[in-house]
Amino acid sequence: MAGRISDEDIAIVRERSPIADVVGEHIQLRNAGGGNLKGLCPFHDEKSPSFNVTPARGYYYCFGCAEGGDVITFVRKIENLTFTEAVERLAQRGGIQLRYEQGGYVPGREQGERTRLIEAHRAAAEFYAERLAAPDAAPGRRFLSERGFERVDAERFGVGHAPAEWEALSRHLMGRGFTAQELIRGGLAREGRRGPIDRFRGRLVWPIRDITGDVIGFGARKLLESDDGPKYLNTPESPIYHKSSVLYGVDLAKREIAKRSQAVIVEGYTDVMACHLAGVPTAVATCGTSFGEEHIKVLRRLLLDQAEFRGEVIFTFDGDSAGQKAALRAFQDEQKFVTQTFVAVQPDGLDPCDLRVKQGDAAVRDLVASREPLFAFAIRSVLSRYDLNTNEGRLGALDAVAPVVAAIKDPGLRKTYVVDLDRWLGFMDEGFVIRRIQQVIGKDRGPGQARAPRQEAVDPAVRLEAEVLKLAVQRPALLGPEFDALGAETFTLPEHVGLYAIIMAVGGTAVGGPGGREWVDRLLEQAGSASGEQGADLRSMTTRFAVEALRADTAVEERYASAMLAKLHETAVGRALAQVKSRLQRLNPVEEQQEYKRLFGELVALEQQHRVLRERAAGA
């Protein structure tokens, strides 16, 4: 490497990378009040949003997993980058030219690996797109035309053509300064006897982009009879391409998914194109793998999928047995969504691309509109395997479908499907159906029910300490010298004592002014000076308190700060009072008269101070 990025450029990158915009490229954020934004955490699974972003201070914090930091920290964690790579990633995003302290502007080969691989893929996408107009790409153009796609459609989705040559792309990219090792590492080429050879040859190529729009891989469709490879060939796993979490079209669909609270899952690249062109701009597809848990996490963050049935995830499958099996596999993952899940099945087996060619754009929209709840589809699919004209068949079907019904997490919805199931089977006895389901799944409580986890109550005194420390981090000027005079003994939790010590070490709230990023940065730097796990915990708490919303509106923050400070002081004085009273009770007023009088005088003074603070807290 040529050296570290200059501190001045790092500061510029932070300043020109609004954290709400950067985070918003990965998850849907909504107004949480107090200048904060909220969404589902990208770093752990959760049902309700606990990931908070504070644009004014440039920090994020998750109250579920305690991850927090600034915009550079977020990019590092979400994309698994080094610090340098994250800064370079943001600089590239903002059009900022970085300077390195030992050698000026860094040539391409000296940049972080991810940055280099992204640039190589972007150059490869441009190369493939240009070659689609070449004479040897006629089979590819014919393939697109037969499926209803025009030249402008290919340009919109970046479709290109890989020449049927061994080294066409490799020569081109190495001529642009990329190394053979970079091409092989990124999956663009394979190791040959005399150097790298192109991975994709004689194929129609679709660029696969991540959620931010960077090309990270390709999907390639066979065109030539002489090609003995698979029909579709995808980029292998690489430092930037992980198929289990990649959704084709997500860069184009993410805003509409968030806007409409709907995601449509289709099976192929041409299906995504057909849906978007037909007026279903929420369509995405997996890339060479089945729909799985990591894909769900991506969609949940875009849908802001939380504890109410608001949005829709719609799976489109063929009407044949393979399509039914695929839908039932999707059902296994349904419980990982909170939102509603549906299946849209075309009875004649046409996929969205073929449907658009044969019946037009409206037919694609109608297919999505005719969606059926995934539970209903799964139940009907199981029932279809039994002869419901016999008692044995009906009972066998009931036993087979019991786990499906039991898996429905919403009690009201589960009850509704029990009623439907009873009607479909013809028993006309809902009680019998419920009892049979309970017997089959072997549970004493109702089907699918689970005991709610216990929640521990939070100590009001600890909550009060946290609120005052939060004010000290966010609005130091509202607390000033009075906070600084409290003393560490005012706080009961060791981590609160530690944060108070950090604030005092940088000069106390008296020098914090209005707060903001500079003040938080000073606190974080001081917290980082603590050793090991303690330092990490203190940085995490500081970030959390910088992001967590205050419990008061902006208009009354000054009064609120005064009241909280008085209550905290009152609580501390109350503890001191209790200690003095306990000591007095243990003294003999005759034999230990002098000490008794001293403590009694201390008790009177503390009681007076306690009364004043209580009145101030109540009147503030």
Side-chain angles (χ1 to χ4, degrees), residues 259-440:
K259 178 181 176 182
R260 303 186 184 201
S261 292
Q262 178 199 77
V264 178
I265 315 301
V266 297
E267 293 191 325
Y269 307 122
T270 56
D271 292 331
V272 171
M273 293 175 68
C275 284
H276 281 250
L277 295 172
V280 183
T282 57
V284 294
T286 59
C287 302
T289 185
S290 58
F291 187 81
E293 188 169 348
E294 294 303 312
H295 300 119
I296 290 173
K297 291 177 182 178
V298 173
L299 289 180
R300 288 195 67 234
R301 295 195 293 267
L302 292 176
L303 288 162
L304 193 55
D305 182 29
Q306 53 183 312
E308 65 248 20
F309 290 127
R310 295 186 306 103
E312 300 179 340
V313 175
I314 304 169
F315 296 91
T316 63
F317 298 107
D318 294 344
D320 57 15
S321 59
Q324 288 195 3
K325 288 180 181 178
L328 291 176
R329 282 198 304 272
F331 172 79
Q332 302 303 316
D333 286 323
E334 193 280 338
Q335 301 301 303
K336 295 167 185 169
F337 283 108
V338 175
T339 194
Q340 300 176 89
T341 48
F342 296 85
V343 174
V345 177
Q346 183 65 20
D348 55 15
L350 296 177
D351 58 32
C353 181
D354 291 337
L355 183 62
R356 177 173 178 261
V357 171
K358 294 187 177 182
Q359 300 182 31
D361 291 350
V364 177
R365 296 193 297 271
D366 289 343
L367 168 64
V368 175
S370 66
R371 64 201 181 280
E372 178 182 14
L374 182 55
F375 286 126
F377 181 83
I379 292 171
R380 288 180 184 275
S381 295
V382 174
L383 298 184
S384 67
R385 303 200 299 262
Y386 293 84
D387 182 2
L388 303 184
N389 293 317
T390 68
N391 290 331
E392 292 81 2
R394 287 197 295 272
L395 195 58
L398 175 55
D399 290 351
V401 85
V404 177
V405 178
I408 302 175
K409 55 184 173 283
D410 180 77
L413 195 60
R414 188 168 58 245
K415 172 65 174 175
T416 301
Y417 276 110
V418 167
V419 174
D420 287 343
L421 179 59
D422 179 46
R423 179 167 50 83
W424 292 336
L425 292 172
F427 286 118
M428 307 307 290
D429 186 345
E430 295 170 19
F432 168 74
V433 172
I434 292 174
R435 289 191 300 273
R436 188 72 179 189
I437 291 174
Q438 290 174 340
Q439 290 171 9
V440 170

Side-chain angles (χ1 to χ4, degrees), residues 38 40 84 154 161 170 175 252 255 258 310 507 535 552 566:
K38 181 179 285 190
L40 288 173
T84 297
H161 180 258
S170 298
L252 300 175
R255 298 198 185 282
R310 295 186 306 103

